[in-house]
Amino acid sequence: MSVEAWTLILVAITFGLYLYIGWWARVRETAGFYVAERGIPPIANGAATAADWMSAASFISMAGLISFLGYDGTVYLMGWTGGYVLLALLLAPYLRKYGKYTVPDFIGDRYYSKWARAVAAIATIFISLTYVAGQMRGVGIVFSRYLQVDLAIGVLIGMAVVSFFAVLGGMKGITWTQVAQYTVLIIAYLIPGVAIAAKLTGIPIPQLALTFTDIAQRLSDIQVELGMGEYLAPFQKFSAINVFAITFALMVGTAGLPHVIIRFYTVPNVRSARWSAGWALLFIALLYTTAPAIGVFAKYNLIQSLNDQPLEQVRQINWVSKWEQTGLLKLEDKNGDGKLQFTGNPETNEVTIDRDIIVLSTPEVAQLAPFVIALVAAGGLAAALSTAAGLLLAMSSAVSHDLYYRIFRPDASEAQRLLVGRAMVFLAILVAGYFGVNPPGFVGEVVAFAFGLAAASLFPAILLGIFDQRMNREGAIAGILTGLIFTAVMIVLMRSTKLLGTEAPILESFLGINAQGIGTVGMILNFIVAYIVSRATPPPPQEIQDLVQDIRIPKGVGQASAHH
């Protein structure tokens, strides 16, 4: 059976499963729509959090980024993993103890201000919209390659499935669908990783194959020979300051992502929030420790398969011709010798590979069974759709709960709030669909910008809201606006060739820091401005200071102290 036939079967089965879960988990109340009735078991919430976390960027792009950036590509690995630990330790248990529906809910109540709530809601929409663009690009890539359908039609199919289970089931439907999607995506990621590790090194465990064999060194030697730079040497693609800034922006931005934070509102209590954070870390580690191995195996395999091979012979290979049709693989015989050569110079390099296809193409390059290749396609779709669903709900909640209900219509009935919530999910899906057809960049970078915006806006406000009793609304709003505006403007100036159509970037870097790491500077500015403004204005009311104290103290400590 062909790869396309297997893909069609697996996509039909998995999409059918997601639709069934969406129908089974349909809700009729806002508590079910926004926080899944706070009844999700820790292990299920851990799997759903991992699926939320592991987007198309993690599944499709991360191994590709490591594959092409070498040592410097590990900034994504360190940033995203470190950020999760930060979230689990510093934010999640406290936010769960506070116990509302959304991140703007916390910021609005903590800073006793509709303006703070509105600013946080707008920041949530902005971040989620940037992030969801990357997911839709991933959906389009998988459909255009494996089902040979137009990218726009592929995106429409994906959005139709997401809209069904997100509109009907809200957070409850999304959570249980994400549990299924995590199962699909992790199996799809590990099976090819194990098969390729065994084939190239004789060791079937990818992590051990990368650590205890010389495959990475062999790749590095080949790259040096071809003039592509040493694979294992640091600071080849990014300067030292950018490695630090990007890693930190990804780490802090991850911890501030609203669609992940709201997952911890869905469990019954604080203890369950801590347990689900632990389960999620385990589930995420399975994929994140496999990604560097796949990145190395894929690059080694691609160079060995294509370099110095006759162009016409290469074009006869099935996977080459199909990826070439998508435009994501380009072969050019620039020197006219009839053979393909990898070089480190873009002027002479004859093989151009889009980083987003590394994971998807690796099973084909390694000549694995069609079933495995199709499974990877289904896994890529599961990763993109699971994160997209979480983002859509975060955007919908920001508009329907934080803006509509908490600011404009506090007297809205349960039915009206649910209707607006569902309408907002549907509207957000339409916007996400537009970005799926007209993607602004490749998946990993677009997502990295979302992390930068989250790092510069929401993270400082949440952290100070928990740990700084003196922080007031004036400081928080000034900090969020400063961080968000600074980071967004810097990204637009540094990426003006794509965003504004200029011939060269208006600004190359800021103090040597590029667009992906600029969120770190935005976050520092946010902290400084928030601190100065809060100390120059009146302190928060006493009940707010008591609230902060209560959030930080574990339940039972007060009573225990009273007996001594």
Side-chain angles (χ1 to χ4, degrees):
M1 198 181 291
S2 69
V3 172
E4 285 74 18
W6 273 115
T7 306
L8 196 59
I9 291 170
L10 288 181
V11 168
I13 292 173
T14 52
F15 277 29
L17 178 64
Y18 306 153
L19 292 173
Y20 170 75
I21 292 173
W23 177 81
W24 167 78
R26 63 195 184 281
V27 294
R28 294 183 178 83
E29 295 178 349
T30 50
F33 191 81
Y34 292 125
V35 290
E37 296 163 349
R38 302 195 199 281
I40 304 296
I43 189 169
N45 195 48
T49 305
D52 229 347
W53 194 271
M54 292 186 292
S55 58
S58 295
F59 191 97
I60 297 175
S61 279
M62 188 164 65
L65 288 166
I66 295 172
S67 187
F68 280 84
L69 295 173
Y71 182 96
D72 294 348
T74 54
V75 295
Y76 296 96
L77 201 61
M78 293 187 291
W80 286 335
T81 312
Y84 183 75
V85 176
L86 209 59
L87 171 65
L89 293 178
L90 284 184
L91 305 184
Y94 302 106
L95 289 176
R96 176 60 191 88
K97 189 176 180 190
Y98 175 67
K100 286 292 181 73
Y101 284 175
T102 65
V103 171
D105 238 354
F106 171 76
I107 291 178
D109 287 358
R110 165 61 183 83
Y111 295 115
Y112 47 99
S113 164
K114 288 182 178 178
W115 283 106
R117 184 188 303 278
V119 170
I122 291 167
T124 297
I125 295 167
F126 199 38
I127 294 163
S128 302
L129 203 54
T130 312
Y131 200 174
V132 84
Q135 310 314 307
M136 292 308 103
R137 157 88 164 163
V139 171
I141 289 173
V142 175
F143 268 107
S144 62
R145 162 59 187 89
Y146 289 101
L147 293 179
Q148 306 287 302
V149 298
D150 187 70
L151 187 142
I153 294 174
V155 171
L156 285 175
I157 295 170
M159 298 322 294
V161 173
V162 174
S163 64
F164 183 84
F165 65 73
V167 170
L168 265 188
M171 179 57 98
K172 189 178 176 186
I174 288 172
T175 300
W176 289 109
T177 309
Q178 284 173 334
V179 173
Q181 286 165 336
Y182 175 78
T183 308
V184 172
L185 75 87
I186 199 65
I187 291 172
Y189 207 81
L190 293 182
I191 287 180
V194 167
I196 296 164
K199 189 171 182 176
L200 290 181
T201 68
I203 299 175
I205 300 174
Q207 294 86 345
L208 298 183
L210 180 65
T211 308
F212 295 110
T213 70
D214 64 347
I215 183 119
Q217 187 59 54
R218 276 190 277 159
L219 172 61
S220 192
D221 293 343
I222 291 172
Q223 288 211 170
V224 171
E225 195 179 313
L226 296 174
M228 298 166 69
E230 197 178 340
Y231 189 81
L232 296 175
F235 313 132
Q236 301 282 305
K237 308 289 183 184
F238 298 134
S239 63
I241 191 171
N242 270 314
V243 166
F244 172 79
I246 296 171
T247 303
F248 202 73
L250 291 174
M251 192 182 289
V252 180
T254 299
L257 283 177
H259 74 290
V260 177
I261 293 175
I262 59 174
R263 288 238 50 87
F264 294 95
Y265 290 129
T266 65
V267 291
N269 49 44
V270 177
R271 180 182 166 82
S272 300
R274 291 186 189 277
W275 271 107
S276 64
W279 281 113
L281 187 61
L282 174 67
F283 293 142
I284 291 168
L286 280 175
L287 189 144
Y288 272 40
T289 54
T290 308
I294 289 184
V296 170
F297 300 156
K299 187 83 174 283
Y300 181 83
N301 226 4
L302 273 169
I303 294 177
Q304 294 288 55
S305 303
L306 301 180
N307 188 55
D308 216 23
Q309 299 298 315
L311 175 60
E312 291 312 314
Q313 188 179 317
V314 168
R315 282 200 165 125
Q316 301 302 315
I317 302 172
N318 191 36
W319 66 265
V320 171
S321 62
K322 287 182 177 170
W323 278 113
E324 211 178 356
Q325 284 171 22
T326 65
L328 299 172
L329 173 66
K330 293 176 184 168
L331 308 175
E332 299 170 88
D333 183 16
K334 291 178 179 173
N335 60 8
D337 68 349
K339 290 185 175 179
L340 293 171
Q341 277 98 27
F342 282 87
T343 74
N345 183 351
E347 299 297 321
T348 56
N349 181 44
E350 298 179 339
V351 183
T352 308
I353 303 165
D354 190 297
R355 299 169 194 184
D356 290 345
I357 70 171
I358 283 293
V359 168
L360 298 175
S361 68
T362 294
E364 292 174 295
V365 181
Q367 300 176 334
L368 300 181
F371 170 77
V372 177
I373 299 167
L375 189 60
V376 173
L381 286 171
L385 294 181
S386 61
T387 306
L391 291 164
L392 292 169
L393 192 72
M395 282 191 279
S396 159
S397 304
V399 176
S400 60
H401 178 74
D402 295 299
L403 296 179
Y404 172 75
Y405 172 57
R406 297 300 302 269
I407 295 179
F408 296 113
R409 285 288 308 276
D411 59 339
S413 67
E414 182 90 2
Q416 287 171 324
R417 291 164 56 195
L418 202 56
L419 180 66
V420 173
R422 286 180 163 141
M424 286 302 110
V425 169
F426 191 70
L427 184 64
I429 286 170
L430 294 180
V431 177
Y434 171 80
F435 283 115
V437 180
N438 304 285
F442 71 82
V443 178
E445 277 201 346
V446 170
V447 170
F449 292 153
F451 282 70
L453 295 173
S457 57
L458 295 181
F459 178 79
I462 298 171
L463 194 70
L464 291 170
I466 295 170
F467 294 102
D468 183 9
Q469 226 168 323
R470 179 64 176 75
M471 183 52 57
N472 61 12
R473 67 182 168 199
E474 291 82 359
I477 294 172
I480 291 176
L481 288 176
T482 303
L484 195 65
I485 293 171
F486 171 82
T487 306
V489 169
M490 284 293 130
I491 289 175
V492 170
L493 294 179
M494 292 182 203
R495 295 288 170 177
S496 61
T497 51
K498 286 185 177 177
L499 299 173
L500 302 177
T502 59
E503 288 187 4
I506 296 173
L507 190 67
E508 287 288 345
S509 65
F510 180 81
L511 300 176
I513 297 172
N514 69 19
Q516 292 184 63
I518 200 66
T520 298
V521 183
M523 178 202 67
I524 293 169
L525 290 176
N526 184 332
F527 273 120
I528 293 172
V529 170
Y531 183 84
I532 293 173
V533 173
S534 68
R535 267 54 184 182
T537 45
Q542 188 56 45
E543 65 266 23
I544 297 298
Q545 297 188 42
D546 293 342
L547 170 74
V548 176
Q549 190 76 4
D550 183 59
I551 289 172
R552 287 212 307 270
I553 297 175
K555 191 177 178 184
V557 168
Q559 293 91 321
S561 302
H563 293 293
H564 290 280

